[in-house]
Amino acid sequence: MALLLAVVFFLASCQTKPKNDHHDIGQVKVDDKLKALIAPSNEQVVAKAVVVEASYETKIFTAEVQGIVNYDSRSETSVASRVGGRLEKLYIKYNYQPVKKGQLLFEIYAPDLAAAQQELIYLSQSAGDQGLLAQAKQRLLLLGMSNQTIQQVLQSKKVNYRIPVYSPADGYILEKTLANNNASAVIAPSGDSSGDGMSGMSGGGSGATVSAAPAPQIDNSPVMLREGQYVNAGQSIFTIYKADQLLAEFALKPSLGTLVKKGSKLAFYKTADKEDSFQTSTIGLIQPMIKAGENFTIARVYLSKGMFKAGEILTAKIPVLVPQSYWLPESAVVSIGAQSMAFKKENNVFVSVKLKTGLRMNGMVQVKEDIANLDFAKNAAYLVDSESFIRAKSN
């Protein structure tokens, strides 16, 4: 009997034994106080570092930008063919060749001009109506012949198959296709895309610099037109720029372009000759531009006669007032491609965050969002792992 009771108690104890939960195998519960220690190093950092708060103030600085002297397109004169025909002789050898008013540019053969001359000779030799003769002369004038050439035809009684075309103005001549390219060729500012701005500033007005890509040079390249080439009626062949009508164009980054207005004062000089070419003027035109996927602003200044030549590189200093905004030390912001990042202090750890930045000047970075009462690591570069790419969330 005792043996039977022992067996019953043994079976009962086996049935009430708790079952193992296989789902708990391999799981480790982490104390909330230790979570900061196991987070990835490219998201947050546990460190003792000096922290800074953003300042909120207005700044005045002088931006330094590069530019180029170019021809004023408002004074250009177009040379077009009034008839379709073949270029028999070309007297323009290279672009930006100086020409005088009345100078021979090219000679053209046109069937319409030859037929109109034959009609003029016939009417001049017959005793017909003088009104028809006057209309024949007017037709040749409308087709591009000069009075002098018409009188030569009447005297010689021979058709002139090579009609000369003369320059209508003084200046520098270039092919129309190149003129169109130069109209769209502007200096594109370069620099740190993450900051979208400048690499220097003065709190009281001395030099900040904004680097600009080399401006397009005006070269005396050979013309692409060739003798024997056909042109259409009304086709514009050459453009003549007046030598005394020049302007200066300066490229501004978008963040700076919003602060510069038409009529703003600036000082500029030849980059190669600062002492003898220093001038002050006002901006006559502000023009937004998009080139190669990059947007920027062109500030245009109309120049006086005599001192500058087309193609010269200029340096300008523009005083700019920046309205109240937040500013962080440049050392507190890390640039990664087109993004700007900083390490914000949260619960005794530094968390990486993205920032919307603007101008960079005098060791300070403009922040275009509210970061009041936030602490940031003063030297963000010290918290970056050299083998990690920082991951951050928006602030």
Side-chain angles (χ1 to χ4, degrees):
M1 186 67 179
L3 180 59
L4 180 61
L5 291 174
V7 172
V8 172
F9 284 119
F10 176 76
L11 294 176
S13 64
C14 291
Q15 293 178 357
T16 58
K17 186 177 180 179
K19 297 181 180 180
N20 292 330
D21 189 358
H22 297 286
H23 297 287
D24 293 337
I25 298 176
Q27 290 188 354
V28 178
K29 294 184 178 180
V30 181
D31 190 348
D32 291 340
K33 296 180 180 180
L34 301 178
K35 285 185 177 181
L37 299 176
I38 64 173
S41 60
N42 60 352
E43 294 182 2
Q44 65 183 29
V45 180
V46 179
K48 290 184 178 180
V50 180
V51 297
V52 292
E53 288 189 7
S55 61
Y56 187 72
E57 56 184 320
T58 300
K59 289 185 178 291
I60 301 175
F61 70 99
T62 301
E64 183 175 293
V65 296
Q66 302 297 313
I68 186 175
V69 180
N70 213 334
Y71 292 105
D72 191 347
S73 59
R74 300 176 303 171
S75 62
E76 69 178 31
T77 301
S78 180
V79 179
S81 175
R82 298 189 182 181
V83 292
R86 182 178 66 246
L87 294 176
E88 293 293 319
K89 185 66 175 178
L90 188 63
Y91 295 93
I92 301 301
K93 302 302 181 183
Y94 57 90
N95 288 295
Y96 294 102
Q97 178 177 334
V99 295
K100 298 294 184 180
K101 184 176 181 179
Q103 179 177 333
L104 182 60
L105 301 180
F106 58 89
E107 295 177 348
I108 187 173
Y109 163 74
D112 292 343
L113 282 173
Q117 290 179 73
Q118 290 175 349
E119 181 181 354
L120 177 67
I121 295 173
Y122 174 78
L123 292 174
S124 65
Q125 292 176 341
S126 63
D129 188 0
Q130 292 299 315
L132 294 177
L133 181 62
Q135 291 179 6
K137 292 180 180 180
Q138 183 66 23
R139 180 186 177 189
L140 287 172
L141 289 173
L142 295 176
L143 290 176
M145 285 188 65
S146 63
N147 281 315
Q148 181 181 358
T149 306
I150 294 174
Q151 292 303 322
Q152 291 175 356
V153 172
L154 290 174
Q155 292 176 3
S156 64
K157 306 299 182 181
K158 294 181 180 180
V159 175
N160 186 358
Y161 292 98
R162 299 173 65 164
I163 304 303
V165 177
Y166 301 95
S167 172
D170 297 339
Y172 293 88
I173 191 169
L174 70 161
E175 290 177 288
K176 188 63 178 180
T177 53
L178 182 61
N180 293 336
N181 292 337
N182 283 355
S184 61
V186 291
I187 42 183
S190 64
D192 184 9
S193 60
S194 61
D196 203 331
M198 304 164 210
S199 59
M201 176 257 171
S202 82
S206 65
T209 59
V210 179
S211 59
Q217 296 296 318
I218 296 178
D219 60 328
N220 298 334
S221 58
V223 295
M224 300 301 294
L225 285 173
R226 292 294 180 265
E227 295 176 359
Q229 183 174 337
Y230 283 84
V231 295
N232 299 321
Q235 177 181 343
S236 184
I237 302 176
F238 291 110
T239 296
I240 298 176
Y241 289 110
K242 293 182 179 180
D244 58 347
Q245 299 292 328
L246 300 175
L247 53 83
E249 293 181 329
F250 300 95
L252 313 177
K253 297 290 288 185
S255 54
L256 177 61
T258 58
L259 303 175
V260 178
K261 307 297 181 184
K262 179 181 177 181
S264 299
K265 298 289 185 179
L266 81 165
F268 61 94
Y269 53 87
K270 297 179 185 178
T271 304
D273 185 14
K274 178 179 179 180
E275 299 298 330
D276 298 332
S277 61
F278 195 88
Q279 283 195 0
T280 58
S281 185
T282 58
I283 297 176
L285 177 68
I286 293 291
Q287 181 180 4
M289 298 289 293
I290 297 179
K291 183 181 179 182
E294 183 179 4
N295 63 311
F296 53 96
T297 302
I298 291 294
R300 185 170 295 168
V301 178
Y302 300 103
L303 302 178
S304 56
K305 301 179 181 179
M307 182 171 292
F308 299 95
K309 295 181 180 179
E312 290 181 324
I313 305 299
L314 302 177
T315 300
K317 297 181 181 294
I318 308 174
V320 178
L321 173 66
V322 182
Q324 281 191 328
S325 55
Y326 290 96
W327 301 88
L328 279 175
E330 195 169 12
S331 60
V333 181
V334 178
S335 298
I336 303 178
Q339 295 181 346
S340 297
M341 317 186 83
F343 286 92
K344 181 179 65 174
K345 189 173 183 180
E346 289 184 357
N347 299 325
N348 298 322
V349 298
F350 291 93
V351 181
S352 57
V353 294
K354 297 179 182 178
L355 295 178
K356 296 178 181 178
T357 58
L359 303 178
R360 292 173 178 260
M361 45 194 180
N362 196 30
M364 303 294 289
V365 179
Q366 181 188 25
V367 181
K368 297 182 177 181
E369 56 183 298
D370 188 359
I371 54 173
N373 302 321
L374 297 179
D375 292 330
F376 294 90
K378 185 176 181 180
N379 295 291
Y382 293 158
L383 304 182
V384 179
D385 188 347
S386 61
E387 298 180 357
S388 298
F389 189 83
I390 301 176
R391 287 166 40 187
K393 57 185 178 180
S394 298
N395 185 31

